[in-house]
Amino acid sequence: MRSLGRNAGAHIANDMVAKIRVCVRKRPLNSKEINKGEKDMATVTGRQMAVDEPKVRVDMTKFIERHNFVFDEVFDTDASNEDVYRRTAYPLVQYLFEGGKATCFAYGQTGSGKTFTMLDDKQGLYVLAARDIFVMLRRPENTHLSAFIGFYEIYQGQLYDLLNNRKRLQPREDGKSNVVISGLKEYEIVNVQGLMQVFEYGNNARSTGRTNANADSSRSHAITQIVLKDKANKSVEGKLSFIDLAGSERGADRGETDVKTRMEGAEINKSLLALKECIRALDQDKKHTPFRQSKLTQVLKDSFVGDSRTCMVATISPNNSNSEHTLNTLRYADR
């Protein structure tokens, strides 16, 4: 038995207001997996997750290797989206109203419940966040603020506005070294329904493609940003970004040979690696954060500098045929 990353007994500050938090959510086995007789290979104990990986020795005898991980938060199959929201995105919503910049990432293999966690139209994290944002906007101390939404994707290293006919966008830095996506169309939203309509419209413009892992796999990173602006002078008073990262499985695992899909995969992997480097630098309080390594980290620069807060939600599938993907996700999320 071996422990990966931080040793399993290490103390992790389980602080809801930490600069960076990494959380993992395990989905239940689905009926298809149960019918195929697949087993649940992931065990949750408090903030620990153990994954059993089936292996074969040189003499062809089978054995199980157990891998242990510790995260800031681990959600078992009985956790609802509301439970996940309270301990991941809700502290970021509160921080938004303190004038902060906050980012919530979702990461995981296609089919691991990432879209359900983030984008479910009744209880996805961003819907629950929007619900609370509008409640807070109605408070007397916040009546001077209004909320705007922008929605764009990063596909093969280029930015496209999902609310404006996939117009190409350019990220630039202003004088105060804040990242500005020039030309991004932002819409004022006044209630959750408005957000849902805008979101649905943008999602239909997103790049998806058939992969062997999923018939409708996201081939791009989609970034929804909710910005609070002062009604009088339009200055930005807080920003919350939700990022749905592209499917994390490797091209080789999906048996893909077509050049376009391979190029998409290479670009996705490059940006995910750059993101991990930035998160690691942030976690270790390094002086330099390597955010110029990809378009994704470049546009997220303000998530890594100053008083920013970041939460990553990694989703995993528990069935044995996915154990390699699950381990890849957990190793990626393991700081």
Side-chain angles (χ1 to χ4, degrees):
M1 175 166 142
R2 59 190 191 152
S3 170
L4 283 153
R6 300 180 170 197
N7 79 57
H11 172 69
I12 295 180
N14 194 15
D15 181 359
M16 300 293 265
V17 297
K19 196 170 167 71
I20 176 154
R21 298 180 80 239
V22 177
C23 309
V24 174
R25 184 184 201 184
K26 166 188 164 183
R27 70 159 171 81
L29 288 171
N30 60 35
S31 50
K32 202 164 144 192
E33 290 157 355
I34 293 166
N35 292 341
K36 278 167 69 182
E38 294 219 37
K39 291 183 177 63
D40 183 339
M41 308 297 277
T43 316
V44 176
T45 321
R47 300 211 315 272
Q48 293 193 34
M49 178 171 274
V51 177
D52 293 334
E53 183 185 18
K55 288 193 153 183
V56 182
R57 288 193 182 88
V58 185
D59 63 2
M60 301 312 282
T61 54
K62 292 179 177 175
F63 70 105
I64 296 284
E65 184 172 1
R66 173 162 278 206
H67 305 270
N68 290 319
F69 298 86
V70 183
F71 296 101
D72 296 306
E73 204 84 57
V74 180
F75 299 100
D76 209 341
T77 50
D78 57 356
S80 67
N81 272 17
E82 182 77 45
D83 297 334
V84 175
Y85 168 69
R86 284 278 146 216
R87 303 193 66 81
T88 55
Y90 180 61
L92 301 181
V93 170
Q94 291 172 303
Y95 189 55
L96 170 72
F97 281 88
E98 292 164 25
K101 288 181 179 148
T103 309
C104 184
F105 293 101
Y107 176 81
Q109 172 206 359
T110 306
S112 63
K114 176 170 63 114
T115 305
F116 171 74
T117 300
M118 295 304 280
L119 311 180
D120 183 75
D121 57 7
K122 290 190 179 57
Q123 49 178 9
L125 295 197
Y126 78 95
V127 176
L128 298 176
R131 175 196 70 188
D132 286 346
I133 286 169
F134 293 118
V135 167
M136 287 177 170
L137 280 173
R138 284 195 282 276
R139 289 185 186 162
E141 67 270 26
N142 294 323
T143 49
H144 65 294
L145 296 173
S146 51
F148 288 80
I149 184 174
F151 192 21
Y152 61 96
E153 73 170 356
I154 301 176
Y155 175 70
Q156 297 223 12
Q158 300 293 341
L159 275 63
Y160 298 95
D161 192 337
L162 294 175
L163 301 179
N164 191 12
N165 303 320
R166 296 182 57 79
K167 183 171 164 261
R168 281 271 293 273
L169 301 166
Q170 290 300 330
R172 296 197 170 88
E173 282 187 30
D174 66 9
K176 300 181 191 131
S177 77
N178 292 321
V179 179
V180 178
I181 313 292
S182 60
L184 179 68
K185 223 176 173 59
E186 290 184 325
Y187 289 89
E188 186 173 354
I189 40 170
V190 292
N191 55 29
V192 178
Q193 290 70 28
L195 176 102
M196 290 304 305
Q197 285 165 347
V198 172
F199 199 87
E200 205 160 292
Y201 175 79
N203 238 354
N204 290 334
R206 195 172 166 195
S207 297
T208 58
R210 289 187 74 88
T211 73
N212 285 7
N214 190 328
D216 191 24
S217 172
S218 314
R219 310 306 295 144
S220 67
H221 306 299
I223 298 165
T224 309
Q225 57 182 36
I226 299 170
V227 181
L228 295 183
K229 292 185 181 179
D230 188 299
K231 286 177 184 168
N233 62 13
K234 294 286 180 270
S235 63
V236 174
E237 299 295 318
K239 182 165 131 186
L240 173 59
S241 306
F242 280 103
I243 296 159
D244 185 21
L245 295 167
S248 69
E249 55 291 309
R250 298 191 310 252
D253 301 332
R254 299 183 304 251
E256 269 137 25
T257 47
D258 107 41
V259 175
K260 175 174 173 278
T261 316
R262 278 216 310 269
M263 279 173 66
E264 287 174 350
E267 190 59 53
I268 288 167
N269 289 346
K270 181 181 128 186
S271 58
L272 291 175
L273 201 61
L275 176 61
K276 169 138 187 167
E277 288 300 312
C278 285
I279 287 177
R280 190 173 275 163
L282 189 70
D283 199 29
Q284 295 166 358
D285 266 334
K286 286 189 176 163
K287 292 280 175 280
H288 169 70
T289 312
F291 48 79
R292 291 199 189 279
Q293 289 179 9
S294 78
K295 268 289 191 300
L296 174 68
T297 46
Q298 203 181 331
V299 301
L300 296 179
K301 180 188 165 187
D302 41 18
S303 310
F304 303 121
V305 295
D307 295 326
S308 55
R309 284 196 201 153
T310 302
C311 180
M312 178 182 268
V313 182
T315 52
I316 61 136
S317 305
N319 54 323
N320 43 307
S321 63
N322 269 321
S323 66
E324 194 189 335
H325 289 308
T326 292
L327 283 168
N328 286 340
T329 299
L330 293 174
R331 284 179 186 129
Y332 180 80
D334 191 45
R335 334 190 312 247

